[in-house]
Amino acid sequence: MLQLCRDCILNENWEVVEPHILAVHKQVRNLVDLPSKPPKADDMDAKLRCNLCINECVLSKNDLSYCGLRNIPKSQSGELPLPSRSRGYIHGYLDRIPTNCCNAWFCNAEYDTYSYAAFLYGCSYNCLSCQNSSHKLFSKKHLFDAEFLAKQIVKNKKITCLCYFGGTPEVQLPFSINLAGLIIEKIEKQDKKRKFRICWEFNGSGRQDLVEKCMRLAIKTGGNIKFDLKTFNEKLNIALCGVSNSKTLENFKYLAEIFFNTRGKYMPEMSACTLMVPGYTNHKEVELIARFISEINPEIPYSLLVFHGDYKMKDLPITPKKQATKCLEIAKKYLKNVHLGNKFLLGFS
Ligand code: SF4
Ligand code: SF4
Ligand code: SF4
């Protein structure tokens, strides 16, 4: 799809390479009617400024945001653009524990209870190999009221945790934080002894103060946060995901330095994971990511995920065993807690 190899992306003249990369992403986004880049209306035309994620969209009256969730209501009747703090685009379902959520490999949630899997629409990235591209099926999205949803979730005593994923939760952080707060409030009123963990799986590109709120809620409830560290090299992130990873790395470092290991060794507050995209996220990239994490704290759990072709990168093979083994070996040189996810794709149980 990209028609560029890792070496070209990293070493060729960026002024030549970047326009090609942006043209590929534009083509992909056109297929689902999303803008090719974050709208940046000038001051005269600006009707809505959003700073929930790295894209910092500034919308004029006919613009659609990069995540596809925000535009200016046609009526102009003063109603707030949606989604908001109290209403969000979410699809929820029950997932029996142990689940396949990204941090299940070290989490100590109670087996045979349920996780509420909270799939949030929209994303701040445009990964060509997106493994959850249904977040762009906006015609299927429904707006749910946080108060209503919180009551429904709390009513079911078999639910012991909530996992936000998507898409990426960053583009609806006010909603997901509010919903989490309402759930905690209701549980504290009804049954102080009930355990209910809140977890986030995200790409990390959100506004720092909100990302920190997520961390505090996760810690308070015994939950955790998983960061998708897709790459270390910014150019490679732009090539594979359409957007810079600068905010992601900054947020990861910020949270890990303050919060990691604050509640004891056996309940990690956060983790990172990397999808090993054949030819792109190879052992050299994994080494850079693992070193970055280890310089913050070598105990931070790190999961390497075996890739399978998806979305616009269906032509790529499953991560070769040789690549997976090499990445694993290198990551273990730097980090104490490394895991291989999606092993079944390699024929391992
Ligand atoms: S507590 Fe968090 S990590 Fe554990 S199963 Fe639930 S959502 Fe997944
Ligand atoms: S961050 Fe995740 S959901 Fe968003 S485009 Fe990338 S793979 Fe898809
Ligand atoms: S959350 Fe959406 S609207 Fe807001 S800055 Fe990010 S991409 Fe733009």
Side-chain angles (χ1 to χ4, degrees):
M1 173 85 220
L2 257 180
Q3 293 171 331
L4 280 174
C5 70
R6 176 185 159 86
D7 278 349
C8 286
I9 295 166
L10 296 180
N11 302 323
E12 290 296 325
N13 182 350
W14 187 241
E15 281 174 20
V16 176
V17 170
E18 190 187 23
H20 170 80
I21 289 171
L22 296 182
V24 170
H25 281 273
K26 181 177 178 178
Q27 198 187 343
V28 167
R29 292 177 66 80
N30 276 346
L31 296 172
V32 284
D33 294 327
L34 284 171
S36 56
K37 51 186 184 182
K40 300 281 178 193
D42 60 33
D43 284 350
M44 294 285 286
D45 292 332
K47 296 269 188 246
L48 170 72
R49 291 170 196 275
C50 177
N51 62 359
L52 289 182
C53 80
I54 186 171
N55 294 319
E56 302 197 339
C57 298
V58 185
L59 277 70
S60 69
K61 98 172 173 250
N62 296 317
D63 285 331
L64 177 65
S65 64
Y66 191 80
C67 60
L69 294 182
R70 293 178 178 83
N71 55 6
I72 311 299
K74 294 271 180 285
S75 67
Q76 287 291 312
S77 60
E79 67 185 289
L80 281 175
L82 301 169
S84 64
R85 191 172 172 273
S86 55
R87 291 189 291 173
Y89 291 116
I90 184 170
H91 166 71
Y93 57 92
L94 296 186
D95 207 357
R96 200 182 185 96
I97 297 173
T99 71
N100 64 351
C101 77
C102 292
N103 283 345
W105 62 283
F106 63 76
C107 138
N108 52 9
E110 297 74 18
Y111 276 24
D112 294 329
T113 62
Y114 289 89
S115 165
Y116 185 86
F119 176 92
L120 293 162
Y121 282 84
C123 190
S124 51
Y125 275 13
N126 185 53
C127 302
L128 300 176
S129 65
C130 181
Q131 316 240 313
N132 260 341
S133 59
S134 57
H135 75 264
K136 298 176 208 261
L137 298 176
F138 298 116
S139 59
K140 300 209 167 157
K141 71 187 190 311
H142 293 288
L143 205 53
F144 281 91
D145 179 75
E147 182 65 38
F148 169 81
L149 213 49
K151 272 191 201 141
Q152 296 296 315
I153 293 169
V154 171
K155 210 157 67 180
N156 186 341
K157 299 266 165 48
K158 289 291 271 179
I159 304 178
T160 57
C161 63
L162 184 150
C163 179
Y164 285 118
F165 70 115
T168 200
E170 281 89 337
V171 295
Q172 297 196 62
L173 278 184
F175 171 74
S176 65
I177 292 169
N178 183 36
L179 174 60
L182 290 170
I183 292 172
I184 296 167
E185 200 182 291
K186 290 184 194 313
I187 287 179
E188 279 174 355
K189 266 193 204 148
Q190 284 176 18
D191 178 3
K192 277 197 185 324
K193 288 194 183 139
R194 179 172 169 190
K195 275 192 190 150
F196 196 105
R197 301 174 174 87
I198 310 272
C199 299
W200 273 269
E201 294 184 355
F202 52 41
N203 69 24
S205 66
R207 206 174 82 202
Q208 198 163 80
D209 60 323
L210 295 178
V211 167
E212 184 172 339
K213 276 192 184 164
C214 299
M215 186 82 254
R216 290 186 186 278
L217 283 165
I219 290 179
K220 178 176 174 180
T221 58
N224 52 59
I225 291 186
K226 185 267 314 186
F227 270 70
D228 227 339
L229 299 186
K230 292 175 186 296
T231 65
F232 183 78
N233 280 296
E234 187 182 27
K235 288 177 180 172
L236 193 59
N237 214 77
I238 293 172
L240 296 177
C241 312
V243 173
S244 160
N245 59 350
S246 57
K247 193 85 181 162
T248 299
L249 298 181
E250 184 191 317
N251 281 340
F252 183 84
K253 188 168 188 294
Y254 175 76
L255 291 190
E257 282 178 350
I258 302 177
F259 297 103
F260 188 73
N261 234 346
T262 51
R263 66 175 177 198
K265 211 171 173 175
Y266 301 105
M267 283 177 79
E269 297 81 358
M270 57 192 286
S271 74
C273 80
T274 300
L275 186 65
M276 295 175 286
V277 185
Y280 293 101
T281 327
N282 62 11
H283 66 280
K284 292 183 191 161
E285 199 66 25
V286 166
E287 178 159 26
L288 292 170
I289 299 171
R291 187 187 294 149
F292 164 72
I293 301 171
S294 75
E295 281 167 6
I296 305 167
N297 191 323
E299 309 267 354
I300 297 173
Y302 183 46
S303 181
L304 286 163
L305 302 178
V306 177
F307 169 95
H308 62 89
D310 214 330
Y311 197 46
K312 303 299 169 194
M313 281 188 152
K314 286 206 172 96
D315 53 330
L316 288 188
I318 288 173
T319 312
K321 260 188 197 173
K322 208 171 154 192
Q323 180 183 346
T325 312
K326 200 155 182 189
C327 289
L328 208 55
E329 268 171 29
I330 294 234
K332 284 181 178 170
K333 258 178 44 187
Y334 293 89
L335 299 166
K336 296 186 182 158
N337 205 356
V338 182
H339 168 258
L340 182 65
N342 298 345
K343 285 194 265 230
F344 62 94
L345 291 170
L346 295 176
F348 298 138
S349 55

